Amino acid sequence: MVDKEMPSAHPVPVDDLTPLAQRAGARRCGGAPEGVAFVDGGGVTSARGFAAAGVHAGFRKNPERFDLALVAADEPCACAGTFTQNVFCAAPVTVSREHLDGVSYGIARAVVVNSGIANAATGERGLEAAREMARIAADAVGCPEQEVMVASTGVIGEHLPLDPFRTGVPAALEKLSREGGHDAARAIMTTDTHPKEAAATFSGDGVGYDGCTFTVGGMAKGSGMIMPNMATMISVITTDAPLSADALHTALVEAVNGSFNRVTVDSDTSTNDTCLMFASGAAAPAGAAPFAVGTPAYEAFLATLKAVCVNLARQMASDGEGATRLVTVNVTGAASAADADAAARTVANSPLVKTAVTGHDANWGRIAAAIGRSGAAFRQQDAAIDIMGLPVCRGGLTVPFDEDEALRRFEQDEIVLDIDLGAGDAAATMWTCDFSHDYITINGDYRT
């Protein structure tokens, strides 16, 4: 049984108390890479060729709360998706996969999302409801049913009523605009405390598209049941860069693996995880060739997409149910990428680590215990740990630190935990949040 108390504080000779982040270089904190500029107030309609709306359709009792979002492209365009790996996947996941020909990419025109009811564990009736919500949106937008993606979020096991779509989709179509992205982001929220939006631009100069400025924008929801595996997370991302559907999918998978798949609030993977991306090509000159994988233009796009996804992922982690702090876990010195991921993920999922953050307790023994059970290969005498840049462990043993200084650092909005396994060159980052008493309150009363 792991001792929950602090390790005994026996100072040991230590040659290097340089903060681990300084040794490893700048922290990966979600800032914009070179050539990428975030758009102030940007979101899912920042890219040209898209409009959106959010309305109250009736899935929720509160008439002041939006519960249906519609995002539509001006024309059919490339679309790609990543979805939950949960075997108990929801009906909208199955239908959207079908509409993307079972390969998770194709051509689409719109996506409709409802909140309040997940349409998961609803059998054939749920599948028909998901297909009908696509048909209703397709009739309103004026495209084939196959070109509409669908997503739902909310309570599992309840059947999805269709009348709210029959009135809500036309109402959303009436409001559809470039300014409607903010309402759409509000409409997909469940236990989120605020909408999550981000957008960034990059220049086509020097990469074959001189004079063009391209944009990637998106919205996301997710606050609990979060540990994506592609929580209850849904994200819609758009770009006005020209990409083929398969190239868009290649980029999206890479971006998701480095962002949404590195978030955990409570280690639960949802039945409904969906991330959809559309590429209109509207910012490119007429007849311009699409970005080919591996070209400078594609790499510039990929860097921007990653920046937007990381930004949204960090927003999700910081808004975890009952959270008071965003927690970033950086692991370096791992023997392999898999070991780095395992160590970072185990620390990020540890209830003892998360509650220590809530209590402003620099209890590094909980971090040590987590990496020790993670399955990562390392020797404890090689391990080092910092909390908020404060060295607390070197060579697997305690080093003296100022408890008052540690308390002061815990007042920051983001708590950074740096861990060096001393076993290799691989690294990984995970984003999570702390566990407060409010997490239990929210989830104990979720259905009421």
Side-chain angles (χ1 to χ4, degrees), residues 110 132-148 169:
E132 182 62 19
M133 66 187 280
R135 282 192 285 268
I136 292 168
D139 289 345
V141 173
C143 68
E145 174 188 341
Q146 191 80 10
E147 291 183 2
V148 174
V169 169

Side-chain angles (χ1 to χ4, degrees), residues 82-86 221-234 256-257 259-275 313 316-317 341 345 349 430-431:
T82 62
F83 303 95
T84 183
Q85 298 300 304
N86 194 317
K221 65 82 50 185
S223 189
M225 196 182 281
I226 296 283
M227 190 168 72
N229 187 11
M230 21 193 175
T232 305
M233 79 149 281
I234 289 174
V256 164
N257 283 338
S259 57
F260 298 125
N261 280 352
R262 297 207 162 272
V263 171
T264 179
V265 168
D266 46 24
S267 78
D268 279 312
T269 296
S270 165
T271 56
N272 291 60
D273 294 347
T274 299
C275 179
M316 286 167 51
D341 181 85
R345 199 170 292 269
N349 280 329
M430 287 286 295
W431 294 285

Side-chain angles (χ1 to χ4, degrees), residues 198-221:
T201 63
F202 67 98
S203 174
D205 293 348
V207 295
Y209 298 81
D210 290 353
C212 296
T213 298
F214 299 103
T215 301
V216 176
M219 64 180 186
K221 65 82 50 185

Side-chain angles (χ1 to χ4, degrees), residues 15 29 45 61 76-77 96 138 146 175 179 183 185 198 223 235 237 277 284 337-338 355 357 378 405 416 431:
D15 293 330
C29 62
T45 53
K61 294 179 181 178
C77 63
S96 289
Q146 191 80 10
K175 292 179 60 180
E179 292 72 37
D183 285 348
S223 189
S235 182
I237 306 170
M277 184 165 189
T355 51
V357 172
F378 70 99
E405 175 60 23
V416 180
W431 294 285

Side-chain angles (χ1 to χ4, degrees), residues 58-61 88 90-92 114-123 125-127 129-130 152-162 165 271-272 446-448:
F59 298 103
R60 296 183 177 278
K61 294 179 181 178
F88 232 107
N114 75 275
S115 62
I117 299 174
N119 194 11
T122 49
R125 179 176 166 183
L127 286 170
S152 300
T153 181
V155 177
I156 294 170
E158 292 188 6
H159 286 290
L160 188 66
L162 292 172
F165 290 109
T271 56
N272 291 60
Y446 184 74
R447 293 201 306 158
T448 56

Side-chain angles (χ1 to χ4, degrees), residues 30-39 199-203 214-216 299-309 311:
E34 185 177 354
V36 176
F38 278 103
V39 177
T201 63
F202 67 98
S203 174
F214 299 103
T215 301
V216 176
E299 293 302 325
F301 160 72
L302 180 60
T304 309
L305 173 59
K306 287 180 175 180
V308 169
C309 288
N311 185 292

Side-chain angles (χ1 to χ4, degrees), residues 42-401:
V44 72
T45 53
S46 293
R48 282 182 267 181
F50 298 96
V55 299
H56 175 76
F59 298 103
R60 296 183 177 278
K61 294 179 181 178
N62 183 354
E64 301 299 317
R65 185 161 183 183
F66 292 167
D67 55 14
L68 184 145
L70 179 66
V71 179
D74 295 345
E75 303 289 341
C77 63
C79 178
T82 62
F83 303 95
T84 183
Q85 298 300 304
N86 194 317
V87 174
F88 232 107
C89 70
V93 171
T94 298
V95 171
S96 289
R97 282 172 169 158
E98 289 174 352
H99 288 189
L100 292 175
D101 298 325
V103 294
S104 294
Y105 61 86
I107 300 298
R109 178 75 186 277
V111 55
V112 60
V113 186
N114 75 275
S115 62
I117 299 174
N119 194 11
T122 49
E124 286 299 321
R125 179 176 166 183
L127 286 170
E128 180 51 36
R131 293 183 179 115
E132 182 62 19
M133 66 187 280
R135 282 192 285 268
I136 292 168
D139 289 345
V141 173
C143 68
E145 174 188 341
Q146 191 80 10
E147 291 183 2
V148 174
M149 302 296 111
V150 292
S152 300
T153 181
V155 177
I156 294 170
E158 292 188 6
H159 286 290
L160 188 66
L162 292 172
D163 283 346
F165 290 109
R166 296 187 178 107
T167 57
V169 169
L173 189 70
E174 190 77 17
K175 292 179 60 180
L176 209 62
S177 70
R178 288 289 300 278
E179 292 72 37
H182 304 304
D183 285 348
R186 288 172 56 201
I188 65 175
M189 292 166 50
T190 49
T191 56
D192 307 65
T193 64
H194 59 266
K196 299 162 180 67
E197 303 173 84
T201 63
F202 67 98
S203 174
D205 293 348
V207 295
Y209 298 81
D210 290 353
C212 296
T213 298
F214 299 103
T215 301
V216 176
M219 64 180 186
K221 65 82 50 185
S223 189
M225 196 182 281
I226 296 283
M227 190 168 72
N229 187 11
M230 21 193 175
T232 305
M233 79 149 281
I234 289 174
S235 182
V236 179
I237 306 170
T238 60
T239 184
D240 48 24
L243 286 106
S244 63
D246 57 343
L248 188 66
H249 183 253
T250 298
L252 182 62
V253 168
E254 185 170 343
V256 164
N257 283 338
S259 57
F260 298 125
N261 280 352
R262 297 207 162 272
V263 171
T264 179
V265 168
D266 46 24
S267 78
D268 279 312
T269 296
S270 165
T271 56
N272 291 60
D273 294 347
T274 299
C275 179
L276 293 163
M277 184 165 189
F278 297 79
S280 68
F291 296 173
V293 175
T295 61
Y298 176 88
E299 293 302 325
F301 160 72
L302 180 60
T304 309
L305 173 59
K306 287 180 175 180
V308 169
C309 288
V310 166
N311 185 292
L312 291 170
R314 284 167 53 84
Q315 289 187 54
M316 286 167 51
S318 66
D319 193 33
E321 289 173 342
T324 71
R325 296 290 186 276
L326 169 65
V327 180
T328 297
V329 181
N330 294 318
V331 170
T332 57
S336 67
D339 278 359
D341 181 85
R345 199 170 292 269
T346 305
V347 172
N349 280 329
S350 168
L352 291 179
V353 172
K354 293 154 77 71
T355 51
V357 172
T358 297
H360 296 188
D361 183 4
N363 190 342
W364 69 265
R366 295 181 175 185
I367 301 171
I371 61 175
R373 70 172 183 274
S374 69
F378 70 99
R379 302 187 312 163
Q380 65 175 350
Q381 59 265 41
D382 296 329
I385 299 170
D386 286 3
I387 297 176
M388 296 298 295
L390 193 66
V392 294
C393 169
R394 291 292 184 272
L397 298 171
T398 296
V399 295
F401 65 92

